[in-house]
Amino acid sequence: DLLALQACHQLASALQEILASPSLAKVGFDGAADLGRVAKSHPTLNRCDRASKLLDLRDLEADRRVAESGISRKKAKEGMSLSSLAEKYLGKPLDKTFQVCDWTRRPLSEGASHYAALDAWVPVKGGYCTRVHRWRRRR
């Protein structure tokens, strides 16, 4: 719970170490923007604004679309959302109902907790599926 732990200097230190490590892959969907928002919103985490070896599912999928269709990168990103990629690779779209709930309210509702967990898991699983798809095409 980032909100509850935002003043914890040990958390900030551990996150900075993880984010800076080139041996640990970090996966997200527009993850650089998320890191920027976290750093800006939580002063203790202001040095967590970038990551080494950040794999962005949005970029991976855009690269795949460019390679397969020969379209521009800008066109490849049109209409792309985490929900649409969840549907493509996992068979079901991400329900965004709780995306705009009050994230400062504790405890989080079961629905909000479920959404947060899926919002973190889908980029990891989608990144894996994208890379497997690319590997299969090369064979």
Side-chain angles (χ1 to χ4, degrees):
D1 187 342
L2 194 54
L3 195 59
L5 296 172
Q6 66 182 333
C8 177
H9 293 285
Q10 293 89 350
L11 173 66
S13 179
L15 282 176
Q16 287 169 13
E17 188 174 329
I18 290 167
L19 291 171
S21 174
S23 63
L24 296 173
K26 282 66 76 179
V27 182
F29 185 87
D30 203 13
D34 286 343
L35 289 174
R37 282 190 291 276
V38 166
K40 192 174 185 178
S41 300
H42 306 289
T44 308
L45 302 174
N46 66 347
R47 293 183 57 210
C48 294
D49 63 341
R50 61 184 61 102
S52 172
K53 199 172 181 184
L54 177 61
L55 303 174
D56 197 312
L57 180 57
R58 182 181 215 159
D59 292 335
L60 292 173
E61 179 64 12
D63 291 345
R64 185 196 66 74
R65 290 178 180 184
V66 167
E68 286 185 4
S69 305
I71 58 177
S72 72
R73 190 159 174 73
K74 182 179 179 180
K75 183 89 171 156
K77 287 186 175 185
E78 286 180 7
M80 190 187 311
S81 67
L82 184 57
S83 182
S84 68
L85 295 181
E87 185 169 19
K88 176 181 176 68
Y89 289 109
L90 308 175
K92 191 172 182 184
L94 188 61
D95 179 0
K96 295 288 198 169
T97 303
F98 289 96
Q99 184 179 26
V100 293
C101 73
D102 181 0
W103 291 99
T104 62
R105 189 170 181 206
R106 295 296 185 268
L108 289 175
S109 69
E110 184 177 334
S113 294
H114 184 74
Y115 169 80
L118 284 173
D119 193 54
W121 180 76
V122 167
V124 174
K125 186 67 172 175
Y128 171 78
C129 290
T130 302
R131 295 183 90 151
V132 166
H133 180 79
R134 193 177 338 162
W135 175 78
R136 285 184 180 153
R137 281 191 59 236
R138 289 183 192 159
R139 294 183 82 202

